[in-house]
């Protein structure tokens, strides 16, 4: 079996004189440079291009260029803008002059060349053709150059010294017009009424302004002649007015972060306290929503009223309550149960999660938060085109960019030493420098929300990255992240301190049966390093409703307390127990019986209980047409303490069934190999072999009869656009409606909307060719 020849490790670099286009530049790159390009722009590798010509065509597509520009930091973007302004054939010296800096810009140019946003020709640096299109018609607020304004006074004004002289001689009104256009936008409107017509006419006559087509967007700046006239400030004049550089401020280095020393112990202790609270709050949500889950809205999500009830019960703000349910949903602990009347209920995996140690539980939450595409800060905000605000757990909270912003915020925090915090303003400033093309207002809102959520989750403490948060940001495994957090969490305690004021203090987190006992018999009064619980008649009755007797409850509290059971608490429990069960509710439809006749008389006299239609049938028995459960609820709300009685007269302990959702089913995701070094090396090897085959074919074909091989649509569009820009012809194969293919020598004028416009060699009439029908392209 023949063996496959190994690809060369590096292709010989072509001489500068042979590099005439971007495609030549791509072909001349070494294997290492091509791998760097693919790793820097992974979208070029999906799907794999056929050969280096196809790779070069894909490099220049608008979508790929837009994606690459969005990855540039401010320094790289400013250098690229300077190259665009300098036009083809520029060099590092000219770029540095336009930036007004003494810094060596060659490393930035090398980076832009490595990303194939620039290519090097024999005359200097060239920008990929689609880069100016993506940056916009007026890069950095500059208009067209003098070379683009032929036949006008401005088209002849290129000498900077002459521009300086004319600006100095300009009338006062003319200088005012120039000042308004200097930093952009470069286009203004001159109208017939008002002052300044003479000054504007002087600027036009001397080439400091030039007329442009009326479709340009413009500022209304002065008046001249009759009707509206749009004028533009030529690029050469604007650069002189700007002092020879194109940016008000050149920032080739990232802003220095603001550093505040907090200390690792303080940061970790603060983060550990937040983690303890988050874990407790999630358990309380499950306790509340298990028996009585809220309904799912028809449009999806959680009702505002249900979110407010939850926030009030947990003493949380609406923003934090929304974040809490969203992180539970992202971690798979909460889901729509999918029933006929769907509700939001804890999933079956919640019980398994709850049985794990605190570090492992937190690791699952932290990873879910970092990788989730849901943005809780959008809850309560109206999205574009929507008449209502987004609901928690609803579809409008899905916003994929938040995942990248979380990663970038944590990456910024990892640049600071452990125990050092920064300010939100400093983090946002550095993010803005690293991604200057993002909407600054959206970025600021999202970054502030991420920093706030990181503090709530314990990823940060007092704005400093915690030890576990650093492990999360650096891509640690769940075991590593959980172990890092476990070392900072306070140890669980197995006791409480009962006090005479009917409160109990848990000096640390409670777990297991003790945690269940305290949630059952007392209400949380305050949280923090120590949790304060308060006993009340209602909380004690709730414990007795589960079947506990007064003696059993007091014994459990005595065993859990380091201070014994105070007398006031003993009195409270026994007093509630004495009244607990005095009144019995059964179904006859329903009846009420009590050994204390005065209690029944009080019920008959209460106006609140009138809807129950109570009727005495014996000195110690009342009956009602209401359901026994309704009787229980209303009697308890009116201050009584009834219990339910079975048919044999025994007390019925009503177990509250905790509802569980089946959990979300993850959709089957396609398996995609990562764009890593090994993939890039293999792809370059294949491209080299394909290019050698294409080169051999080009060398053996008859130049008089161009052989048009099938090409990728991206290659076709790129070749036609290049031909239109260079005003040269290309051979194309074109399939008509019957499937017959013919060959034409086309001189394209423009390519847009999936069609190529141009003239044929034997005609002057413009023809239109659909790109999808072009079978191949070859240079003429």
């Amino acid at each position: 079996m023949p063996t496959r020849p190994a690809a060369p490790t590096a292709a010989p670099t072509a001489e500068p004189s042979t590099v005439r286009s971007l495609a030549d530049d791509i072909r001349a790159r070494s294997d290492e440079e091509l791998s760097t390009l693919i790793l820097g722009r992974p979208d070029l590798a999906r799907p794999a291009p056929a050969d280096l010509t196809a790779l070069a065509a894909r490099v220049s597509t608008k979508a790929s260029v837009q994606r690459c520009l969005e990855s540039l930091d401010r320094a790289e973007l400013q250098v690229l803008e300077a190259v665009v302004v300098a036009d083809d054939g520029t060099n590092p010296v000219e770029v540095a002059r336009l930036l007004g800096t003494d810094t060596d810009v060659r490393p930035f140019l090398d980076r832009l060349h490595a990303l194939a946003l620039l290519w090097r020709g024999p005359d200097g640096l060239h920008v990929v053709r689609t880069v100016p299109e993506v940056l916009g018609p007026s890069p950095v607020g500059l208009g067209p150059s003098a070379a683009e304004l032929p036949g006008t006074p401005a088209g002849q004004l290129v000498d900077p010294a002459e521009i300086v002289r004319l600006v100095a001689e300009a009338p006062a009104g003319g200088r005012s017009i120039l000042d308004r256009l200097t930093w952009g936008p470069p286009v203004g409107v001159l109208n017939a009424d008002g002052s300044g017509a003479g000054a504007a006419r002087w600027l036009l006559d001397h080439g400091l302004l030039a007329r442009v087509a009326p479709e340009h967007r413009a500022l209304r700046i002065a008046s001249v002649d009759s009707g509206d006239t749009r004028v533009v400030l030529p690029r050469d004049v604007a650069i002189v007015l700007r002092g020879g550089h194109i940016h008000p401020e050149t920032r080739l280095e990232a802003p220095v972060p603001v550093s505040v020393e907090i200390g690792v112990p303080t940061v970790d202790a603060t983060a550990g306290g937040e983690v303890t609270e988050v874990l407790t709050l999630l358990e309380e949500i499950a306790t509340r929503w298990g028996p009585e889950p809220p309904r799912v809205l028809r449009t999806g999500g959680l009702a505002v009223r249900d979110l407010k009830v939850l926030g009030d019960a947990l003493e949380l703000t609406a923003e934090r309550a929304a974040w809490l349910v969203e992180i539970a949903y992202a971690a798979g602990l909460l889901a729509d149960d999918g029933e006929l009347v769907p509700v939001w209920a804890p999933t079956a995996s919640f019980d398994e999660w709850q049985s794990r140690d605190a570090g492992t539980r937190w690791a699952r939450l932290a990873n879910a938060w970092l990788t989730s595409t849901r943005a809780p800060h959008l809850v309560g905000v109206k999205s574009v085109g929507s008449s209502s605000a987004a609901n928690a757990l609803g579809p409008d909270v899905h916003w994929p960019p938040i995942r990248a912003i979380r990663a970038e915020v944590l990456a910024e925090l990892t640049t600071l030493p452990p125990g050092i915090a920064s300010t939100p303003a400093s983090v946002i400033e550095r993010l803005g420098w690293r991604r200057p093309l993002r909407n600054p207002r959206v970025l600021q809102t999202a970054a502030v929300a991420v920093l706030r959520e990181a503090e709530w989750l314990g990823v940060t403490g007092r704005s400093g990255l915690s030890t576990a948060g650093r492990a999360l940001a650096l891509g640690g495994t769940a075991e590593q992240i959980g172990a890092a957090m476990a070392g900072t969490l306070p140890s669980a305690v197995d006791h409480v301190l009962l006090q005479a004021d009917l409160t109990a203090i848990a000096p640390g987190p409670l777990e297991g049966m003790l945690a269940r006992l305290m949630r059952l018999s007392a209400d949380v009064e305050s949280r923090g390093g120590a949790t304060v619980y308060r006993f009340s008649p209602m909380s004690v009755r709730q414990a007795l409703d589960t079947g506990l007797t007064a003696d059993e409850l007091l014994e459990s509290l005595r065993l859990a307390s380091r201070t014994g059971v105070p007398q006031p608490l003993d009195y409270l429990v026994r007093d509630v127990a004495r009244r607990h069960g005095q009144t019995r509710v059964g179904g006859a439809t329903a009846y009420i019986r009590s050994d204390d006749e005065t209690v029944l008389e009080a019920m008959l006299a209460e106006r609140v209980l009138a809807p129950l239609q109570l009727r005495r049938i014996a000195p110690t028995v009342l009956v009602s047409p209401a359901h026994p459960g309704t009787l229980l609820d209303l009697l308890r709300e009116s201050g009584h303490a009834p219990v339910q009685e079975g048919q044999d007269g025994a007390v019925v302990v009503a177990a509250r069934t905790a509802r569980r959702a089946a959990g979300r089913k993850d959709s089957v995701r396609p398996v995609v190999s990562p764009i890593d070094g090994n993939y890039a090396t293999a792809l370059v090897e294949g491209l080299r072999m394909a290019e050698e085959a294409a080169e051999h074919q080009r060398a053996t074909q008859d130049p008089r009869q161009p052989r048009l091989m099938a090409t990728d649509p991206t290659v076709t569009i790129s070749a036609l656009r290049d031909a239109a820009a260079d005003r040269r012809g290309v051979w194309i194969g074109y399939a008509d409606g019957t499937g017959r293919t013919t060959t034409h020598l086309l001189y394209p004028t423009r390519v847009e909307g999936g069609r190529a416009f141009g003239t044929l060699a034997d005609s002057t009439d413009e023809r239109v060719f659909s790109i999808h029908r072009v079978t191949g392209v070859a240079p003429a």
Side-chain angles (χ1 to χ4, degrees):
M1 181 176 180
T3 59
R4 181 181 180 182
T9 58
T13 302
E15 295 295 330
S17 59
T18 65
V19 178
R20 301 293 183 182
S21 65
L22 171 62
D24 292 336
D25 182 280
I26 294 295
R27 294 190 192 99
R29 298 192 182 202
S30 67
D31 288 3
E32 182 180 356
E33 290 172 329
L34 289 174
S35 296
T36 301
L37 169 61
I38 292 169
L39 293 174
R41 297 175 64 174
D43 61 289
L44 300 178
R46 297 293 190 211
D51 52 27
L52 292 178
T53 302
L55 177 64
R58 194 172 296 179
V59 158
S60 61
T61 58
K62 284 187 177 181
S64 181
V65 168
Q66 176 72 48
R67 191 176 292 110
C68 186
L69 290 181
E70 290 175 353
S71 70
L72 300 182
D73 59 34
R74 188 171 297 277
E76 295 165 344
L77 182 62
Q78 288 187 333
V79 171
L80 179 62
E81 289 171 338
V83 178
V84 171
V85 171
D87 215 343
D88 288 342
T90 189
N91 55 69
V93 176
E94 176 66 13
V95 172
R97 184 187 68 79
L98 288 173
L99 293 173
T101 180
D102 296 329
T103 304
D104 186 5
V105 298
R106 284 176 296 182
F108 301 103
L109 295 172
D110 291 342
R111 169 66 176 162
L112 296 172
H113 177 263
L115 293 174
L117 295 174
L118 301 178
W119 59 275
R120 293 189 173 102
D123 55 343
L125 294 169
H126 298 257
V127 180
V128 172
R129 196 180 306 279
T130 48
V131 169
E133 299 177 19
V134 175
L135 289 177
S138 302
V140 293
L142 292 172
S145 63
E148 299 175 82
L149 299 168
T152 67
Q156 304 170 7
L157 191 61
V158 295
D159 183 11
E162 179 66 12
I163 295 174
V164 171
R165 183 186 68 80
L166 289 175
V167 170
E169 296 177 356
R175 186 53 196 262
S176 176
I177 294 174
L178 295 177
D179 289 342
R180 295 191 62 185
L181 298 177
T182 295
W183 292 102
V187 181
V189 175
L190 308 176
N191 53 53
D193 53 345
S195 59
R201 188 177 297 107
W202 189 94
L203 296 175
L204 286 169
D205 293 342
H206 290 80
L208 296 180
L209 290 180
R211 300 179 188 271
V212 292
E215 60 267 17
H216 284 79
R217 297 181 62 185
L219 294 174
R220 189 170 296 276
I221 53 176
S223 306
V224 66
D225 300 333
S226 60
D228 288 344
T229 302
R230 278 170 169 72
V231 295
V232 64
L233 181 66
R235 181 177 302 177
D236 310 75
V237 177
I239 292 177
V240 171
L241 293 174
R242 294 183 181 190
H245 50 269
I246 61 175
H247 296 106
E249 180 184 9
T250 299
R251 303 183 65 180
L252 300 183
E253 294 183 358
V256 178
V258 175
S259 301
V260 181
E261 186 171 358
I262 304 296
V264 174
T266 302
V267 170
D268 285 348
T270 304
E274 293 290 348
V275 170
T276 301
E277 183 171 5
V278 166
L279 298 179
T280 302
L281 290 172
L282 288 176
E283 290 177 352
E284 290 196 18
I285 290 179
T287 301
R288 293 176 179 277
W289 284 10
E292 300 177 0
R295 288 190 177 186
V296 178
L297 294 176
R298 181 180 301 177
T299 57
L302 180 67
V304 175
R305 184 181 65 84
D306 291 328
L307 182 64
K308 184 179 186 305
V309 169
L310 179 66
D312 292 343
L314 301 181
E315 298 180 353
L316 300 176
T317 62
E319 292 80 7
R320 191 166 185 179
W323 170 78
L324 198 63
V325 297
E326 283 288 347
I327 194 174
Y329 177 75
L333 306 178
L334 187 70
D336 176 348
D337 68 351
E339 297 294 336
L340 183 61
V341 181
V343 295
W344 293 109
T347 62
S349 65
F350 177 86
D351 299 313
E352 183 271 335
W353 172 82
Q354 193 176 22
S355 65
R356 298 299 184 92
D357 62 273
T360 302
R361 281 183 283 161
W362 182 82
R364 179 168 174 175
L365 296 177
N367 278 315
W369 172 76
L370 183 61
T371 59
S372 173
T373 57
R374 299 187 64 79
H377 72 279
L378 297 180
V379 174
V381 178
K382 288 185 179 181
S383 59
V384 178
S386 176
S387 59
S388 59
N391 292 95
L393 304 177
D396 292 337
V397 184
H398 179 71
W399 190 52
I402 193 65
R403 179 166 50 188
I405 295 176
R406 288 194 190 106
E408 291 170 10
V409 168
L410 294 189
E412 285 297 332
L413 295 178
T414 57
T415 62
L416 299 172
I420 302 298
S422 189
T423 63
S426 176
V427 173
I428 292 170
E429 182 184 17
R430 286 173 62 84
L431 288 177
W433 185 88
R434 296 198 183 281
R435 296 292 182 267
L437 291 182
R438 279 184 177 158
N439 185 317
R441 184 167 57 182
V442 173
L443 177 62
Q444 178 176 354
T445 302
V448 169
V450 169
L451 290 170
R452 181 175 63 241
E453 293 170 8
E455 196 78 15
W456 289 341
L457 186 56
V459 174
T460 60
R462 295 185 61 180
S463 300
L465 199 61
S466 65
T467 301
R470 190 174 296 273
L472 175 69
L474 296 178
T477 63
E479 292 75 13
Q480 293 171 334
I481 297 169
M485 179 51 73
T488 64
L489 290 175
S491 301
V493 297
D494 59 356
H495 65 277
V496 295
L497 304 175
L498 298 177
Q499 302 189 109
D501 60 351
L502 299 181
T503 60
I505 298 176
L510 301 178
E511 292 183 349
M513 295 302 296
L514 180 55
R516 181 177 180 275
L517 174 66
M518 295 307 298
R519 283 199 303 269
L520 193 64
S521 60
D523 300 319
V524 176
E525 190 168 80
S526 66
R527 299 183 181 89
T531 304
V532 178
Y533 296 87
R534 177 167 293 280
F535 295 93
S536 66
M538 187 67 70
S539 67
V540 172
R541 182 195 59 75
Q542 181 177 314
L544 297 178
D545 284 344
T546 63
L548 287 174
T549 65
D551 290 335
E552 290 172 342
L553 177 58
L554 290 172
E555 180 63 17
S556 298
L557 293 174
R558 184 187 66 78
L559 293 175
S561 175
R562 292 288 178 85
T563 57
V565 179
Q567 193 175 52
L569 179 57
D570 185 276
Y571 285 169
L572 174 65
V573 173
R574 295 191 183 280
D575 182 61
V576 173
R578 179 180 56 81
R579 295 182 291 108
H580 188 265
Q582 284 184 345
T583 304
R584 306 291 179 98
V585 174
T589 306
Y591 65 87
I592 303 173
R593 71 178 184 86
S594 176
D595 295 332
D596 190 346
E597 297 181 15
T598 59
V599 173
L600 298 182
E601 291 174 356
M603 292 181 183
L604 290 171
E606 288 187 33
R607 183 174 300 177
V608 177
L609 300 179
L612 295 178
Q613 301 179 27
L614 298 176
R615 182 170 59 89
R616 188 193 293 269
I617 62 173
T620 59
V621 180
L622 301 179
V623 294
S624 170
H627 188 273
T630 305
L631 280 178
L632 282 170
D633 293 339
L634 291 180
L635 290 176
R636 286 170 178 172
E637 289 178 5
S638 64
H640 299 280
V643 295
Q644 189 169 0
E645 187 176 77
Q647 293 182 356
D648 58 354
V651 175
V652 176
V653 177
R656 305 182 72 190
T657 303
R659 193 163 177 176
R660 291 291 183 263
R664 290 180 295 157
K665 293 183 179 180
D666 294 332
S667 58
V668 179
R669 298 181 179 180
V671 178
V672 180
S673 58
I675 307 297
D676 54 15
N678 293 333
Y679 181 91
T681 300
L683 179 60
V684 170
E685 178 184 348
L687 292 176
R688 286 287 183 211
M689 291 184 175
E691 188 62 25
E692 289 176 5
E695 185 64 30
H696 175 73
Q697 188 174 27
R698 286 192 292 267
T700 56
Q701 74 179 26
D702 185 353
R704 295 170 299 177
Q705 297 293 331
R707 186 176 180 182
L708 303 178
M709 298 297 296
T711 56
D712 186 282
T714 305
V715 177
T716 301
I717 294 174
S718 177
L720 291 173
R721 282 179 173 169
D722 289 344
D726 298 337
R727 299 179 180 178
R728 56 179 173 82
V730 290
W731 289 99
I732 65 170
Y734 194 74
D736 60 18
T738 64
R740 185 171 60 91
T741 301
T742 55
T743 303
H744 305 276
L745 179 57
L746 174 67
Y747 291 85
T749 56
R750 68 186 189 279
V751 180
E752 58 187 21
R755 296 180 294 176
F757 300 81
T759 58
L760 300 180
D762 56 353
S763 174
T764 58
D765 297 332
E766 186 176 67
R767 295 278 300 274
V768 181
F769 296 88
S770 298
I771 299 296
H772 72 278
R773 292 184 179 273
V774 177
T775 60
V777 180

